[in-house]
Every structure is written in C-alpha cells, then in structure tokens.
Amino acid sequence: MSDGWSDKKRRSICNFLVNSPMGTIFLSSIDTSDISKTGQKVFEMLDEVVEKVGEENIVQVVTDNASNYKLAGEMLMEKRKRLFWTPCAAHCIDLMLEDFEKHIQLHRATIAKGKRIVSYIYSRTNLIHWMKEFTKGTELIRPAVTRFATSYLTLRRLHEQKGALLSLFSSNKWRSSRFSSSTKGKRIAAIVFDNRYFWAYVVVCLKAAIPLIKVLRLVDSDEKPAMGFLYEAMDRAKEQIQQNFNNVQKRYEPIWDIIDKRWESQLHHPLHAAAYFLNPHFHYSPNFQPDAEIKIGLYNCLARMVPDANERVTIDLQMDAFKSARGLFGIQNAILTRNKKSPADWWESYGDECPELKRFAIRILSLTCSSSGCERNWSAFEMVHSKRRN
C-alpha cells in the first residue's frame, strides 16, 4: 500500500495504491484540498484505508518520509498491531542524493554547471538541432524516477557525450553563430572546455552517486518485488563507492556518513532485515553471516505479523529446516533455482513441508519497497527550465 500527495492548481490529492504478489493497483483517491496535512489527519485517512482493506490482509503501509507521514505511520502502528509502516525506499535514496548535492560543495557546483549547459542548449532551437547532429540523436537529459537521480544521470550523459560537446563548441557552426559571441555563450563554452575542473569533478560525482542509483532502479523495478534485495544492495553500494575512491577513507567517508545517516534513521527496517534472511539467493551464500541486527529484525517481524504464540514457535522450529536445507529445501531443483526464481516463487515451490514458515516468508518477500508512482511526479525538466522560463 502506498500513499502520496500531489499539488496541482492549489488542489491536493491523496492517492492510495495497493501492492500484492499480483502487482500494484489503484485503490482510491481523496481530494484533501480542505484538509490539513497534520500527522493526525494523515493517520485518520490511512486508518480508514486499512479498515477498508482489512488489517489481516496488510503487511506494510508505505509513504514518503515527510515528518507528518512518519508521525502518521507511528500512530498507525500503535493502533494496528499486525502491520508495519515503512518509508518509501526510492524517496529515502533520493534524499541521500539530495544530501550529496546539499552538503558536498563539489557536487553542488558541478551539478549547477551541468544544469547550465543543458538549460542553455535546450532553450535554443538551433543548438538543440546542432547538438543532436554531434550526439547522433542522443539527448543530454536522462529522466529518472526521482529528481536528484535525474541530476546525476544527466551528468553521466554529459560525460558520455563529452567528445560530442567538445566538437560542437569547436565547430564552425558554433564559432560563426551569434551564441559564441554572447556573454552566456562564452561562459557555457568555458565550462565545456574545462578539463581541469568540471569534467574531472563530474567523474568524482558519478563515483559517489551511480552505485546508489543502481539501488534506486532495483527498488523501483516492476519486474520483481525488491524487499528481499534491498539490505544486501545497500551494503554492495557502499562497498562499490569505497572501491571507486580506491579505498581512500577521507574520500569515501563523507559519502558513507550521508548514506548511513539516512539508512540508520529512516530506511533500515525490520522487514528489510527479515527479507534478507529469508531470501534463498543470499541465505545459502558462503558469505551469509546474519548478525544480531538481522536476527532482531527477523524476530520483530515474526512477533508483529504472527500474533499466535504457538504459531510463532512452529515457525521458529521450521526455520531450522530452512537454514540447514533439509527436506524439500535441499533437493537438487531447490538448490539450482535459488538464484533463478524470485524469492517468493522459490518459497512457493519448496516450502510445503513448513507451511507456516512458507506463508510468513512469502508475505514478506512479495513486498514492494517504494511508492514509486508518487515518486515519478518529480520532473526531469527541472534540468531544462528555470522558474522564470516556467
């Protein structure tokens, strides 16, 4: 279930989507123009939807991470003892990328220069036509699911088209045009020809951002539920960032600090830990070493989602068969398909000897991590249009 606000012509609309193993469907929409957006009001609306769908049918409610949503989510979990509130993973990762730009001067200045290049070209028809000649039709803008991912993906596209841009601004078309003699044109050309700082800093920005954008694509994917993969994906992203900066601590540590602050305070959740533990893709890996944090998340989910104590004990005992790959869990097909089937499908195929654990695992591993439909409201065209042009 996901929820989000959109503002258009002074109207506020609250959209409710329901996610299940069958996919995501639109449930309802409420005009909240005359309703205050306090945590209490958001809670009341969420609670009405939970009542409509049935608490027993819901594992999690996903919203963005604004303070009123967070308060509403806490209030909902206080009343509804069997479900979880989780922040949208796409929104949280986007906030990490925003923090890169906000708190790291190099990122802020480089993105600003990249936007100036794109905005200058796309606001002039002749330049758009010339640019496409040199890039062989490739656009400079890379739309993405969220606003700040778009900023970094556009930097990557600029980097990919660096040669084409250098050729454009060195061409006779540019030199003989009125653009080349204008003050703005000279400034943009200076940025494009700045190999010492601008292009070098673009690479630095991409080393930090691209591993996170890969995680963003994972949690936004409609191809498979991402809950079982987020925990591991975040660890791998951090490792990749460290490698990108040649393991030099003073270079990657500020990036890690920003990621850890968001992950630990907002995104890290018992459901993510439990899904990681129950995912056969990782559980049977030689490197799988669940620490106390993962096990605490697993048992917190068990306590909340399974109110009957006897059933919890049964599931706990069945967990031993899963961990040691006994019975159906250890047959050849189960072993061969650990990394080929989606985690929920794998449990559907091989969990029959542990029916209570099977149901528990499938409910968690079928979950989405994001309210992506809401995130897509952010526009890639911020890279092109200024407030004045809009």
Side-chain angles (χ1 to χ4, degrees), residues 219-289:
V219 299
D220 180 54
S221 172
D222 295 326
E223 295 179 6
K224 62 182 180 180
M227 184 61 76
F229 297 92
L230 177 59
Y231 198 99
E232 175 75 3
M234 288 300 300
D235 280 348
R236 288 185 179 179
K238 289 181 62 180
E239 291 172 3
Q240 185 61 57
I241 290 168
Q242 181 178 348
Q243 293 173 16
N244 288 348
F245 289 102
N246 299 317
N247 300 313
V248 178
Q249 186 173 353
K250 67 178 182 180
R251 299 185 67 194
Y252 71 78
E253 193 169 48
I255 306 296
W256 272 26
D257 288 344
I258 289 172
I259 294 172
D260 289 342
K261 184 177 180 180
R262 292 285 183 185
W263 171 253
E264 292 169 6
S265 66
Q266 298 175 348
L267 187 54
H268 182 232
H269 194 278
L271 283 171
H272 302 141
Y276 171 69
F277 185 93
L278 294 168
N279 187 345
H281 185 96
F282 302 123
H283 192 92
Y284 296 112
S285 167
N287 298 323
F288 181 74
Q289 294 181 335

Side-chain angles (χ1 to χ4, degrees), residues 21 54-60 82-83 227 271 278 304-307 344 357-368:
E55 182 180 350
E56 69 280 3
N57 298 318
I58 299 173
V59 178
Q60 67 167 347
R82 296 180 61 177
L83 58 76
M227 184 61 76
L271 283 171
L278 294 168
R304 192 165 187 90
M305 293 172 58
V306 184
L357 174 59
K358 172 184 172 180
R359 181 175 184 271
F360 175 68
I362 290 175
R363 294 190 80 198
I364 292 176
L365 293 168
S366 299
L367 294 173
T368 183

Side-chain angles (χ1 to χ4, degrees), residues 131-286:
M131 177 268 293
K132 289 185 178 181
E133 285 184 14
F134 284 93
T135 65
K136 294 180 170 56
T138 301
E139 301 284 354
L140 296 181
I141 299 174
R142 282 292 307 274
V145 65
T146 63
R147 173 184 172 192
F148 293 98
T150 296
S151 297
Y152 285 100
L153 287 177
T154 301
L155 281 187
R156 185 164 76 171
R157 178 57 61 79
L158 288 173
H159 185 257
E160 292 169 352
Q161 297 299 326
K162 175 183 175 181
L165 288 170
L166 289 171
S167 296
L168 168 61
F169 284 89
S170 302
S171 68
N172 289 330
K173 288 183 178 180
W174 169 261
R175 288 199 299 265
S176 61
S177 71
R178 68 182 186 279
F179 306 125
S180 64
S181 58
S182 68
T183 302
K184 277 191 175 182
K186 291 177 180 178
R187 289 174 180 170
I188 297 302
I191 295 173
V192 172
F193 289 120
D194 183 8
N195 276 309
R196 183 177 181 183
Y197 295 110
F198 174 68
W199 291 111
Y201 292 164
V202 166
V203 173
V204 173
C205 292
L206 295 179
K207 285 180 178 180
I210 294 302
L212 274 187
I213 291 173
K214 290 180 180 178
V215 181
L216 182 60
R217 284 174 172 161
L218 168 71
V219 299
D220 180 54
S221 172
D222 295 326
E223 295 179 6
K224 62 182 180 180
M227 184 61 76
F229 297 92
L230 177 59
Y231 198 99
E232 175 75 3
M234 288 300 300
D235 280 348
R236 288 185 179 179
K238 289 181 62 180
E239 291 172 3
Q240 185 61 57
I241 290 168
Q242 181 178 348
Q243 293 173 16
N244 288 348
F245 289 102
N246 299 317
N247 300 313
V248 178
Q249 186 173 353
K250 67 178 182 180
R251 299 185 67 194
Y252 71 78
E253 193 169 48
I255 306 296
W256 272 26
D257 288 344
I258 289 172
I259 294 172
D260 289 342
K261 184 177 180 180
R262 292 285 183 185
W263 171 253
E264 292 169 6
S265 66
Q266 298 175 348
L267 187 54
H268 182 232
H269 194 278
L271 283 171
H272 302 141
Y276 171 69
F277 185 93
L278 294 168
N279 187 345
H281 185 96
F282 302 123
H283 192 92
Y284 296 112
S285 167

